[in-house]
Amino acid sequence: MPLEPILILLFIVATAVAIVARRLRLPYTIALVLAGLGLGQLHAFEAPHLTQELLFAVFLPGLLFEAAFHLDFAGFRRDMSLTLALAVPGVLAAILLTAAILMGMAALLPLDDALTWARALVFGALVAATDPIAVVGLFRTLGAPHRLSALLEGESLLNDGTAIVFFGLILGIVGGGTLSMPSVILDFVRVVGLGAGIGFLVGLVVSTLVQRIDDPMIEITLTTIAAYGAFSASELLHGSGVIATVVAGMLCGNYGARTGMSPTTRVAVESFWEYVAFALNSIIFLLIGFEVRLPDLLAAWQVILAASLAVLAGRAIVVYLVAGVFARGRASIPSAWRPVLSWGGLRGGLSMVLALSLPESFPNRGLMIAVTFGVVLLSILVQGLTMGPLLRRLGLARDTSDRTAYDQSRGDSNAATAALAEIDRMIGTGQTGSAQLAEVRAEYEARQHRAREALEALRSRRGDLHTEDLRRARRHLLMIEKAQTLEAVREGLLDRTAADRLLTDVDGRLLHLEERDQV
């Protein structure tokens, strides 16, 4: 089947999954993996393979740039030392610990001579990168602390790059290279430093151009060039494309957008990148499901289970060690956050692609790929589905019962108000007499009164509900302002220049409101 209809099918599936996931209150990315897994086993259609070229050329730059563009640098800077500790020495320690724990369990596994220290290290590098996309959205839904979500996301942005570099270095050593420890460190610094330098240069150039241009389409194009150009340039010069894209995205989002983009342009750019992230995530998580072959996983289930336990143990040890180092000071990690950071280190598509990139001559390559795929699948499904209960158990999720009751009462009030307005319309047009509808009106008035009393009681008990309602009302009124201005332009009642100024003012207030929501 040609590529075009396959892409359309993937988007149709993604849309259907999004609708079902919302109704079932299931994390969207996890639902996508399950859908891909089911369709893959049924051989419904042949999806594109998740290759390294596809990941690096299409998915990784866009996803990394979007996350970095929206990352609050002030919060990132506050926890920079902690994030770097988790993303650089923490990744190396996780690789070594995962390999050591797996080797310790080797005697209990049906591996014969398939597992050696060298292959265990390669596996540790394969699964070193975390991919918390499946849980970050859940954090926001459940109202988990913003700093916790930012810390997990910031670490993931950096450890993708360091994991790829460590994987390349370890694979080179295992393949017969004669690299010494000093040369390994120098190579790591060179690759990461070159990527950061290229990303900074590209981000600075694009941010400077943005300050001199006021055209949303051109500025969207410039940010696209920054995302994919920084990645490609760094890879061509043998630097880290991941680090380059992250640095470029942070610079464009925290410097270029704030100093050079008008509010209207910034809204357009952010909306564009939010859709890009949604589209890319939809496809990549579906493809993860398509790549998995259940018979291969079932044949290696014991090794997969042991490897998953080794990965989890290695991650937990690193998190608790780093937390101990930063136990004092403003970068300290609250004790309730440590199990969340440990359990939230999900593995994703990058690990699968790195496994597929192993040379054909690599010993037991098929087993290595199957185990990596199994670890990723267990990570996404088990850890992703249990993150919500864990947050609630640790007291890191807001109580949603009041929120549900509040929404229900507000919906009841709105429905009763609409019914009363329709009764007035029916009487006004002479369809029905007021005497005939008196009993019905009394029922709806009583219903409206009960709903409003319930709303007031909830508002007095939960001040955040009142604040949220106020922000929602402000956002609604600003959208009404925007729609009215655009309607006036269409009817010829307002010239374009005046309308642009009014829209810029409205968009500025919308942005201010969104930024306050993220605090």
Side-chain angles (χ1 to χ4, degrees), residues 309-341:
L309 293 174
V311 170
L312 283 170
R315 169 73 179 177
I317 292 170
V318 166
V319 168
Y320 278 84
L321 283 175
V322 172
V325 172
F326 291 87
R328 296 183 179 181
R330 65 177 187 175
S332 63
I333 304 175
S335 57
W337 292 14
R338 298 173 190 181
V340 174
L341 287 171

Side-chain angles (χ1 to χ4, degrees), residues 266-282:
R266 191 170 162 194
V267 167
V269 171
E270 291 187 354
S271 298
F272 168 78
W273 280 107
E274 284 171 6
Y275 172 73
V276 167
F278 169 78
L280 294 180
N281 273 319
S282 298

Side-chain angles (χ1 to χ4, degrees), residues 242-261:
V242 171
I243 297 296
T245 302
V246 169
V247 172
M250 290 179 67
L251 199 59
C252 289
N254 288 275
Y255 172 62
R258 295 180 189 275
T259 63
M261 291 183 185

Side-chain angles (χ1 to χ4, degrees), residues 44-167:
F45 56 90
E46 188 65 31
H49 288 292
L50 192 59
T51 63
Q52 184 170 349
E53 291 75 15
L54 185 62
L55 186 77
F56 279 23
V58 179
F59 293 105
L60 215 51
L63 291 172
L64 290 169
F65 186 87
E66 187 275 337
F69 187 89
H70 289 100
L71 190 69
D72 177 29
F73 186 73
F76 178 80
R77 184 173 56 189
R78 170 188 166 172
D79 287 320
M80 185 180 291
S81 56
L82 178 59
T83 303
L84 289 173
L86 288 168
V88 184
V91 166
L92 180 58
I95 292 171
L96 298 174
L97 286 166
T98 300
I101 295 168
L102 192 56
M103 286 300 296
M105 293 189 290
L108 305 175
L109 301 173
L111 287 171
D112 298 324
D113 296 325
L115 187 64
T116 64
W117 267 104
R119 294 167 203 167
L121 284 170
V122 170
F123 173 75
L126 283 175
V127 295
T130 58
D131 184 8
I133 293 171
V135 298
V136 167
L138 186 65
F139 280 14
R140 293 169 184 156
T141 302
L142 295 178
H146 177 68
R147 184 191 165 211
L148 174 60
S149 177
L151 182 59
L152 197 63
E153 196 168 14
E155 178 211 349
S156 174
L157 282 173
L158 296 181
N159 73 21
D160 279 358
T162 55
I164 291 172
V165 175
F166 281 132
F167 171 73

Side-chain angles (χ1 to χ4, degrees), residues 1-11 13-14 32-33 35-51 54 59 282-293 356:
M1 187 184 294
L3 181 61
E4 291 83 358
I6 290 175
L7 287 175
I8 293 170
L9 279 172
L10 288 174
F11 277 113
V13 171
L32 285 169
V33 173
L37 188 61
L39 291 171
Q41 306 317 306
L42 294 172
H43 303 287
F45 56 90
E46 188 65 31
H49 288 292
L50 192 59
T51 63
L54 185 62
F59 293 105
S282 298
I283 300 300
I284 196 170
F285 277 94
L286 272 176
L287 293 184
I288 286 175
F290 271 100
E291 287 291 339
V292 173
R293 295 291 174 264
L356 291 169

Side-chain angles (χ1 to χ4, degrees), residues 469-485:
D469 255 9
L470 182 59
R471 288 181 180 175
R472 187 178 298 182
R474 289 183 185 278
R475 189 180 294 107
H476 175 71
L477 293 172
L478 286 169
M479 296 308 295
I480 293 294
E481 283 189 48
K482 193 168 186 176
Q484 185 60 40
T485 302

Side-chain angles (χ1 to χ4, degrees), residues 199-213:
F200 182 83
L201 183 62
V202 171
L204 186 62
V205 169
V206 168
S207 296
T208 303
L209 290 173
V210 160
Q211 291 173 345
R212 289 165 169 73
I213 298 169

